[in-house]
Amino acid sequence: MKGDQEGLGIMGGLKRTSCLLAMILAWAVLPGIPAPLSAAPAAKAKSSVTTPSQPPFALVDPALAASLSTRSASTHTRAVLIHAAANQGRSARPVAWISGEADSVAALQDLPVILDLAVAWRLGWDAPGGSAAIQAGRFRDAALGWLDAWIKTCRLGFMPLNESRLDCLLVSWDLLRAAAGPEQQDRVTVWLRNLAEGYLVDRNGQPSAAQANFWQSHRVKLACLAAFSLGDPALIGRAEAAFCQQISRNLLADGSPIDFVEHDSLAYAVYDLQALMVAALAARAHGRDWFHYRGANGASLETALLWLADFAAGKSSHREFLHSQVARERDSAAGQGGLGKIWNPVNACTLYWLAVRFDDRWLPLAARLGRDHAWLAIVFPTAAPPVYAQPSPRTSPSPSTGITNGTGLATGTGTASSAASQNQAQLQKLLQALGQGGTAATGTATGSIPNLLSLLDTLGTSGTGSTADGYTDQ
């Protein structure tokens, strides 16, 4: 895919390889796949609206953001810390216009760095008890500076596949808003409104028939995140209507996205569904159940996951692009050796880790496919995955029920890692080592602070920054 189709979001794109470690696992025992849940009515997806007493947010509400400082040390927190430390000393590299060109692709690597800097600050690495350099708030200041540079420099082109990764900025802003000055807050508010309103109108001459595909799903994702971040009821209503319309138009009765039919590609289908899952996760954080929302034909994100599950679990296989309706795409795939190539289930790793946030019965499959994203595991932790036990039956909540707290998400303290936490003494050693390790000018942590990596090896399985937990573009 070229040009507009190379854009990547928080959760990655068509070629993500971050979960390849999972492929060394034997596939002799397949994880249990949840049976279809009882039917949820095709009712309105909304159940509550952000109130004026609650500051607006896209995905991470202020109370949840503040609570991150209570997280225990883990492989995920270490990965974020290393990635943040390895990058905070360099300057942001925003581009004036996001395209599929090499300079844009390189610049977009800034966006997950901003998110890790924001998470690292919220975790409390800047709190008393760390080194003097950490106490100075360097992660917070770097994150705010980088975010501001992108807001000031980058013009919105409203090509959603190019700009899909801007979702990193919206989630970062959830974590940083309280620390920003009034001028920066005003700039971001103007940018968010442009983003929301721009993606809620027809642009770039896209015909209505084409607006049911993955292009439209990424457009809906960005519009939803921006609308929630603004807390504007009118924009939220329009974004919700766009989401529900996309579910009705995009998903066929069996749960398969139309992209699978048009492109004969599971990679396209996964890329489509990931965008809608991020939008649904944001909605759930606001007390709205979009995950179970069903279109007129009964399809929902839940049924889409069930449709894909046999492929993801390795029970069925698919050869990509053989019957694509796009002739140029078939020719391109043939030229690159991808025509008829068997789809790699690891491509669905991120999608099923997102699904775990709605239904933890997907944990065995997600864990089989690979590791969770570090930032996602920290902000929305899950229980440690079982040893591929069969899930117990469960009744599906209706769209207006089943929301148990402000985020509507599981709030356990565990993660998918076997080394879920370390004691305070080990954490203190880690912080001290970071303060002595300096910074790196490169965009990766590997080799940048060897003393810290050596220490991590003594604490358990060490990460090498968020590039090892899902930020490496595939």
Side-chain angles (χ1 to χ4, degrees):
M1 300 173 68
K2 299 294 182 182
D4 182 41
Q5 298 183 10
E6 289 183 347
L8 304 173
I10 297 178
M11 300 305 172
L14 292 175
K15 299 180 180 178
R16 186 169 300 283
T17 55
S18 59
C19 300
L20 286 177
L21 287 175
M23 297 307 292
I24 64 174
L25 299 175
W27 283 68
V29 180
L30 293 174
I33 297 173
L37 303 180
S38 58
K44 291 184 179 180
K46 60 185 177 181
S47 61
S48 66
V49 178
T50 302
T51 61
S53 60
Q54 176 178 271
F57 61 95
L59 184 62
V60 186
D61 71 73
L64 178 58
S67 74
L68 297 186
S69 62
T70 65
R71 296 289 192 265
S72 299
S74 69
T75 55
H76 294 302
T77 58
R78 290 197 299 274
V80 165
L81 177 60
I82 294 173
H83 195 225
N87 286 278
Q88 63 88 28
R90 69 171 176 87
S91 298
R93 47 192 177 189
V95 289
W97 191 273
I98 299 176
S99 68
E101 301 302 321
D103 60 339
S104 284
V105 173
L108 286 171
Q109 299 305 312
D110 278 3
L111 305 188
V113 174
I114 296 171
L115 180 54
D116 272 355
L117 287 166
V119 172
W121 169 59
R122 281 293 190 174
L123 284 171
W125 305 136
D126 294 339
S131 70
I134 295 174
Q135 291 182 36
R138 56 183 184 174
F139 293 146
R140 176 202 61 216
D141 295 344
L144 285 170
W146 283 37
L147 188 146
D148 208 32
W150 273 87
I151 296 298
K152 290 177 178 179
T153 304
C154 187
R155 293 177 295 164
L156 294 173
F158 300 103
M159 298 295 284
L161 304 188
N162 284 348
E163 296 176 346
S164 184
R165 209 168 195 180
L166 291 176
D167 54 7
C168 286
L169 292 186
L170 279 82
V171 179
S172 299
W173 185 239
D174 286 345
L175 302 173
L176 296 168
R177 187 193 304 253
E183 291 185 358
Q184 184 172 9
Q185 293 202 25
D186 289 344
R187 281 193 295 273
V188 175
T189 298
V190 170
W191 181 81
L192 288 170
R193 187 162 297 278
N194 289 338
L195 184 68
E197 293 180 345
Y199 273 116
L200 286 171
V201 298
D202 291 338
R203 285 182 178 269
N204 302 312
Q206 293 290 325
S208 59
Q211 290 181 354
N213 62 11
F214 66 102
W215 190 98
Q216 175 74 348
S217 293
H218 284 262
R219 171 181 165 185
V220 167
K221 177 193 72 172
L222 290 171
C224 290
L225 289 172
F228 280 129
S229 187
L230 288 166
D232 184 320
L235 286 175
I236 292 172
R238 291 171 59 193
E240 182 173 73
F243 176 89
C244 294
Q245 182 181 69
Q246 181 67 354
I247 292 294
S248 294
R249 292 181 175 181
N250 179 263
L251 300 181
L252 303 181
D254 65 351
S256 60
I258 63 169
D259 301 283
F260 181 65
V261 176
E262 293 179 355
H263 302 280
D264 191 29
S265 168
L266 288 175
Y268 271 86
V270 168
Y271 189 47
D272 184 330
L273 293 173
Q274 282 183 189
L276 295 174
M277 288 288 285
V278 172
L281 189 63
R284 185 158 186 169
H286 293 81
R288 300 162 181 251
D289 188 353
W290 293 2
F291 179 70
H292 295 101
Y293 175 81
R294 295 188 178 187
N297 63 4
S300 66
L301 287 174
E302 182 181 48
T303 60
L305 292 169
L306 290 167
W307 163 78
L308 182 65
D310 277 352
F311 296 105
K315 292 181 177 180
S316 300
S317 61
H318 177 73
R319 293 187 178 276
E320 297 281 88
F321 303 111
L322 283 176
H323 305 289
S324 174
Q325 298 175 10
V326 184
R328 184 174 60 180
E329 184 174 74
R330 292 197 306 272
D331 295 341
S332 176
Q336 298 177 25
L339 185 65
K341 185 176 181 180
I342 295 177
W343 177 74
N344 188 342
V346 170
N347 177 249
C349 175
T350 290
L351 177 63
Y352 281 99
W353 275 113
L354 285 170
V356 169
R357 271 66 192 190
F358 297 92
D359 186 342
D360 59 13
R361 294 180 303 162
W362 289 113
L363 261 172
L365 180 55
R368 172 68 58 138
L369 293 173
R371 291 190 293 169
D372 198 0
H373 287 253
W375 77 267
L376 188 64
I378 293 167
V379 177
F380 300 119
T382 67
V387 185
Y388 308 122
Q390 288 293 325
S392 57
R394 176 181 299 174
T395 301
S396 172
S398 67
S400 60
T401 62
I403 308 299
T404 57
N405 56 43
T407 64
L409 300 170
T411 54
T413 57
T415 70
S417 168
S418 60
S421 62
Q422 303 293 337
N423 61 35
Q424 188 60 37
Q426 290 172 315
L427 177 59
Q428 181 66 19
K429 287 179 62 179
L430 179 66
L431 295 176
Q432 291 172 347
L434 177 64
Q436 297 165 1
T439 61
T442 62
T444 61
T446 305
S448 302
I449 37 180
N451 292 337
L452 180 57
L453 293 177
S454 176
L455 172 61
L456 292 181
D457 286 336
T458 70
L459 298 181
T461 303
S462 67
T464 54
S466 287
T467 49
D469 279 73
Y471 289 133
T472 301
D473 299 336
Q474 339 194 69

